[in-house]
Amino acid sequence: MILVTGGAGFIGGNFVLDWLAGSNEPVINLDKLTYAGNLDTLASLKDVPRHLFVRGDICDRELVARLLAEHKPRAVINFAAESHVDRSIHGPGEFIQTNVVGTFNLLEAVRGYWNELSGEAKQTFRFLHVSTDEVYGTLSPDDAPFAETHPYEPNSPYSASKAASDHLVRAWHHTYGLPVLTTNCSNNYGPYHFPEKLIPLMILNALAGKLLPIYGDGQQVRDWLYVKDHCAAIRRVLEAGTPGETYNVGGWNEKPNLEVIHTICTILDELKPRADGKRYASQITFVQDRSGHDRRYAIDARKLERELGWKPAETFDSGIRKTVAWYLDNQDWVRNVTSGAYRDWVATQYGA
Ligand code: NAD
Ligand code: DAU
């Protein structure tokens, strides 16, 4: 079996669902269920015995050690993190705790477990750390996309904490020989995306008749990847990646934020036109920019393609259409995750 951390979040949840749909291998899913973790995402697994959900913290080394000793997984995949840049600006403490201290504790528990393995189990064990392109900093319009050799220049508390975790993972390989793999991925989008992030926030605000808040001039560029393509890349790296290596994952889909919002508005105009006949784009508004806002991210994913044969299956056009349709079809999930604490966050970040 495999142990996944953060499997009630956006990418971890998609990963667990896809894994169990395509394989008989059981999954232990360790998640603290912070505001970003939603058991509703895993509702279809309620009666699936191959999915064992454990509510717990990756900072709890004893708990992790106990789970490893009891279930003897062949791999650990670490999705657990605080992941939202805006929240890291308001309060960086949790980011240091989970992303840095948590990764350290996880690595130590895994190292203790791996040291006790022998023979083939030791040889084939893998620790896969899921990270981000934000560790590389920001690009100018004419810069080449981030390759794996790009220096680390993180700019936000979030990206700095992820960079720190990547360094720990690297050092645990270099010093202790732990068979680690690291993936650095660009912006994901798709089903079960928590609506504090750009794409789901815009879809839901549009449908609710609210303003669509664009930071600054809206010309910041992100490289979008459909979440199922990211999950496929992780499976491939787990299967065939070389321990100690890092792999960049991206969709070759660079888009300025404003263009992304206009695309969403156009799809909504078609699938669910406003009752008053106006266009959703009329809800767009420009608001104060994010502090330290990175201007451009772009990923050079050629290493993953060349060495492991991975390529994204979705274009941005096909993926965004599926995503908008998913949110229209899954209003119950949306209602459940946007109650309570979510409203407090929206009030903090965007005011009344
Ligand atoms: P998310 O915020 O949606 O989910 C994070 C999950 O981790 C939640 O279920 C949460 O409950 C859990 N968690 C948080 N702290 C924990 C702790 N201390 N112990 C156990 N569980 C804990 O995040 P996401 O967008 O799914 O991102 C998953 C991973 O992928 C993160 O490491 C993130 O840095 C990375 N990543 C995300 C993106 C993206 O576009 N979302 C892109 C590249 C990389
Ligand atoms: O690049 C990978 C990263 O992508 C991941 O590591 C992070 O976990 C993930 O959250 C994401 O970070 P971003 O900061 O790029 O994503 P976010 O959805 O918060 O913002 C995308 C862009 O949209 C960014 O330029 C900020 C802008 N934005 C965002 C929000 C929430 C707005 O203009 N308005 C908004 O209300």
Side-chain angles (χ1 to χ4, degrees):
M1 64 162 57
I2 61 167
L3 189 152
V4 164
T5 72
F10 165 46
I11 306 173
N14 275 285
F15 182 86
V16 168
L17 290 169
D18 289 359
W19 182 274
L20 290 169
S23 152
N24 287 325
E25 193 173 11
V27 176
I28 315 162
N29 185 350
L30 172 66
D31 196 296
K32 188 177 170 183
L33 294 182
T34 67
Y35 78 92
N38 292 298
L39 285 179
D40 282 353
T41 300
L42 305 168
S44 63
L45 301 178
K46 203 161 67 70
D47 298 318
V48 175
R50 286 176 296 132
H51 178 239
L52 175 66
F53 184 81
V54 178
R55 184 173 193 179
D57 192 329
I58 58 167
C59 298
D60 184 345
R61 200 185 301 180
E62 279 174 27
L63 169 66
V64 177
R66 209 164 55 239
L67 289 173
L68 293 169
E70 196 177 323
H71 298 285
K72 307 210 178 332
R74 70 169 176 96
V76 172
I77 304 162
N78 183 30
F79 293 93
E82 287 294 333
S83 72
H84 190 32
V85 173
D86 291 321
R87 284 187 192 254
S88 83
I89 296 168
H90 284 277
E94 282 296 313
F95 288 72
I96 304 304
Q97 187 59 24
T98 283
N99 300 0
V100 186
V101 179
T103 303
F104 162 66
N105 278 295
L106 192 59
L107 282 166
E108 280 296 82
V110 170
R111 182 165 75 92
Y113 166 69
W114 178 73
N115 273 335
E116 296 300 314
L117 295 176
S118 58
E120 207 194 326
K122 188 164 193 169
Q123 280 287 316
T124 56
F125 180 82
R126 297 288 182 267
F127 177 88
L128 193 154
H129 180 60
V130 179
S131 193
T132 169
D133 60 359
E134 300 202 12
V135 298
Y136 298 123
T138 187
L139 293 168
S140 296
D142 297 330
D143 288 342
F146 300 126
E148 288 79 0
T149 48
H150 195 282
Y152 271 37
E153 292 170 342
N155 289 319
S156 72
Y158 162 68
S159 54
S161 69
K162 289 297 290 186
S165 70
D166 291 9
H167 290 320
L168 292 174
V169 171
R170 178 192 153 86
W172 260 240
H173 174 72
H174 192 81
T175 303
Y176 304 114
L178 193 70
V180 306
L181 299 155
T182 299
T183 53
N184 293 89
C185 188
S186 62
N187 286 61
N188 284 215
Y189 67 102
Y192 305 110
H193 204 181
F194 193 73
E196 65 187 354
K197 306 283 174 70
L198 181 77
I199 287 181
L201 182 84
M202 294 298 154
I203 298 171
L204 299 185
N205 275 16
L207 290 172
K210 295 182 183 163
L211 293 173
L212 308 179
I214 312 252
Y215 297 163
D217 62 2
Q219 292 308 316
Q220 302 83 7
V221 171
R222 298 293 182 265
D223 177 357
W224 294 98
L225 180 69
Y226 192 62
V227 63
K228 307 268 176 206
D229 278 328
H230 186 191
C231 294
I234 292 169
R235 291 196 299 274
R236 184 67 192 133
V237 172
L238 182 65
E239 186 179 39
T242 304
E245 289 293 313
T246 65
Y247 297 89
N248 283 356
V249 190
W252 303 104
N253 279 314
E254 281 187 62
K255 307 264 175 222
N257 293 336
L258 200 52
E259 185 185 325
V260 170
I261 311 313
H262 275 287
T263 303
I264 291 170
C265 288
T266 306
I267 297 172
L268 283 173
D269 287 335
E270 185 194 316
L271 297 184
K272 198 166 175 45
R274 273 176 50 151
D276 61 5
K278 286 193 181 158
R279 302 220 162 252
Y280 284 101
S282 64
Q283 293 166 228
I284 289 176
T285 182
F286 291 87
V287 300
Q288 195 187 347
D289 208 351
R290 173 185 279 176
S291 305
H293 200 168
D294 285 336
R295 198 70 184 162
R296 175 179 166 233
Y297 305 140
I299 277 280
D300 178 344
R302 281 177 298 179
K303 176 177 173 184
L304 186 51
E305 185 178 338
R306 196 176 54 244
E307 295 186 9
L308 304 184
W310 173 88
K311 263 189 191 180
E314 299 288 344
T315 63
F316 186 70
D317 286 347
S318 63
I320 194 69
R321 194 162 265 281
K322 281 186 185 176
T323 303
V324 173
W326 187 89
Y327 279 90
L328 287 171
D329 291 346
N330 287 274
Q331 289 293 310
D332 285 348
W333 183 88
V334 169
R335 254 190 303 281
N336 287 341
V337 304
T338 50
S339 58
Y342 176 75
R343 294 206 192 109
D344 298 340
W345 163 252
V346 171
T348 306
Q349 175 67 2
Y350 302 97

